[in-house]
Amino acid sequence: MSDRTRHILLRWVLPAVAALLFVLWALQLNLVEKTELINRSGQTFEKGIVTEILSDNMQEDGTRVGEQTVIVRMRTGELAGQEITCTSSAGYLFGAACRVGMKVIVMQSVAGDTVVSSVYSQDRGTVLLLFAALYLASLCVIGGKKGVRGALGLIFTFASIIFIYLPLVYRGYSPFWSSVMICVVTTLVTLYLIGGPTKKTASATAGTLAGVLFAGVMASVFSMATGITGWNVSDIETLITLWDTNGIAVGGLLFSGLLISTLGAVMDVAMSIASSMQEICDQNPAITRTQLMRAGLRVGRDMMGTDSNTLILAFAGGSISMLVLDYAYDLPFLQIINSNNIGISIMQGLSGSFGVVFSVPATVLIAAAVYRKRTV
């Protein structure tokens, strides 16, 4: 087999076949009949636009109390083109502070000839999609070909979580091992798109998986030592319903989410180290394996602090509302440090950082073995 044929086979044919099989598997996996947890017969969510405010709920001090009564011209659904009267609550989770011209989502409940409508929220779907498209466009324009490949990897990762991970968990498969599989597949695809079928890609992939699995191990050790499990999450009461009705292993969701959230930072470290070591080899073909390992470790040590901070700050940022409440209520230290929410946040931040730290020596060892055979 010639080098050109081998290149075409590795670069295009095998990935195309693998992609086709993956898509067919995803389609089959999503042929699942969901258990009806809430009776939604007759209930729909439709788009509309506010044309008139009949009664407002704005108080003199600027707060809103009670409900607004508004007229909405429907844009979708059975009443499209008609104007209907709706209420909009003053809640922060549901409803909206309506104004004339605002696009809203209307929740309609139809029972015979009776239609009950209320404003569910502001219609923000289009804005969210535009921001996502703007990000992908920026990534492609500034990153060039690498940016396009990175965007494809991001889209694939998101699609894998929605169309592979969620159906697997819903069917009763282990959330932890499902997330391990997702991490393996998305790492292979993302790094392959960026680096192609090269030694650099193989080294970065192996280093990434080693770091993510180590993060999972540390989270498991933390769980056994502290008694914090996936059953201690704040929304466990709702999740137990899924366990009762579908046998979903809700206890493993916490740790599977940890692996997925760690993947990005660990992948960044592994790919950067593997790429740097490849560049060193290209610039100094006579370098030995030992020298290459030392160079790789120096690069990795510079990345450890920043990427570990990235994970810890990300989890801390997600808990900032809880921290502000704890501070405002002046809760005792022993109460705060031993609460489940704080324990989970600390476990997630530190376990993910363990994964980042240990992905450095793992990637260095693997890359040095792959790039160089001489040790001295």
Side-chain angles (χ1 to χ4, degrees):
M1 182 183 296
S2 66
D3 291 341
R4 178 176 175 78
T5 303
R6 186 182 297 108
H7 175 76
I8 293 175
L9 181 65
L10 292 175
R11 185 70 178 181
W12 303 106
V13 178
L14 291 180
V17 173
L20 178 60
L21 294 175
F22 189 80
V23 169
L24 293 176
W25 180 50
L27 292 174
Q28 179 64 32
L29 197 61
N30 281 270
L31 296 177
V32 57
E33 185 175 349
K34 295 182 180 179
T35 303
E36 186 178 26
L37 301 176
I38 300 176
N39 184 8
R40 295 186 179 276
S41 58
Q43 185 184 81
T44 61
F45 290 83
E46 308 294 348
K47 294 183 178 182
I49 184 168
V50 178
T51 58
E52 186 179 350
I53 308 294
L54 296 180
S55 63
D56 208 346
N57 58 353
M58 179 70 74
Q59 307 300 304
E60 294 182 358
D61 60 359
T63 61
R64 292 185 178 275
V65 178
E67 297 179 333
Q68 288 178 303
T69 304
V70 300
I71 294 180
V72 177
R73 184 173 68 249
M74 301 304 298
R75 301 165 58 201
T76 62
E78 296 182 0
L79 302 180
Q82 301 181 32
E83 291 192 341
I84 62 174
T85 302
C86 299
T87 58
S88 179
S89 69
Y92 292 103
L93 295 179
F94 304 102
C98 296
R99 60 182 184 277
V100 175
M102 175 185 284
K103 296 179 180 179
V104 295
I105 299 297
V106 176
M107 181 174 65
Q108 294 183 336
S109 298
V110 181
D113 295 332
T114 304
V115 180
V116 178
S117 302
S118 61
V119 175
Y120 174 74
S121 70
Q122 182 177 347
D123 184 4
R124 57 181 68 97
T126 303
V127 175
L128 295 178
L129 292 176
L130 286 175
F131 265 82
L134 179 62
Y135 166 73
L136 293 176
S138 302
L139 184 62
C140 294
V141 171
I142 298 175
K145 291 183 178 180
K146 293 289 186 180
V148 173
R149 294 171 182 174
L152 292 175
L154 179 61
I155 293 172
F156 177 83
T157 300
F158 182 76
S160 295
I161 294 174
I162 299 298
F163 298 109
I164 301 296
Y165 173 77
L166 294 182
L168 282 174
V169 172
Y170 190 83
R171 288 173 177 266
Y173 290 94
S174 166
F176 181 83
W177 291 111
S178 297
S179 64
V180 169
M181 188 273 292
I182 288 296
C183 289
V184 171
V185 173
T186 55
T187 299
L188 286 171
V189 171
T190 301
L191 295 183
Y192 179 87
L193 287 171
I194 295 174
T198 61
K199 294 180 179 180
K200 176 176 66 176
T201 299
S203 302
T205 300
T208 298
L209 298 180
V212 170
L213 291 177
F214 193 85
V217 170
M218 294 306 299
S220 299
V221 172
F222 189 97
S223 173
M224 290 185 290
T226 62
I228 291 178
T229 68
W231 297 97
N232 299 122
V233 294
S234 57
D235 51 355
I236 188 59
E237 298 296 335
T238 305
L239 291 172
I240 285 179
T241 302
L242 301 180
W243 181 48
D244 291 335
T245 57
N246 294 85
I248 296 176
V250 297
L253 294 176
L254 175 64
F255 300 102
S256 66
L258 169 67
L259 295 185
I260 294 174
S261 62
T262 303
L263 179 61
V266 176
M267 190 186 301
D268 175 48
V269 171
M271 190 60 175
S272 298
I273 293 175
S275 181
S276 299
M277 294 176 69
Q278 177 69 68
E279 185 66 23
I280 292 171
C281 288
D282 292 341
Q283 297 299 322
N284 184 11
I287 192 172
T288 66
R289 183 187 296 178
T290 302
Q291 292 171 332
L292 183 60
M293 288 176 58
R294 290 173 179 169
L297 283 173
R298 285 194 292 270
V299 173
R301 285 166 180 163
D302 288 339
M303 302 186 65
M304 280 183 188
T306 55
D307 281 277
S308 294
N309 283 343
T310 298
L311 280 175
I312 291 177
L313 291 176
F315 287 116
S319 306
I320 199 69
S321 298
M322 177 180 59
L323 294 175
V324 170
L325 286 173
D326 291 343
Y327 180 82
Y329 281 96
D330 197 20
L331 299 182
F333 173 77
L334 287 178
Q335 179 182 356
I336 294 174
I337 198 65
N338 289 288
S339 67
N340 287 328
N341 289 335
I342 291 295
I344 289 173
S345 297
I346 292 175
M347 180 197 71
Q348 291 175 325
L350 292 181
S351 298
S353 297
F354 268 116
V356 169
V357 170
F358 280 90
S359 68
V360 171
T363 306
V364 168
L365 289 172
I366 295 168
V370 170
Y371 294 157
R372 282 291 177 267
K373 294 182 178 180
R374 294 191 305 118
T375 59
V376 295

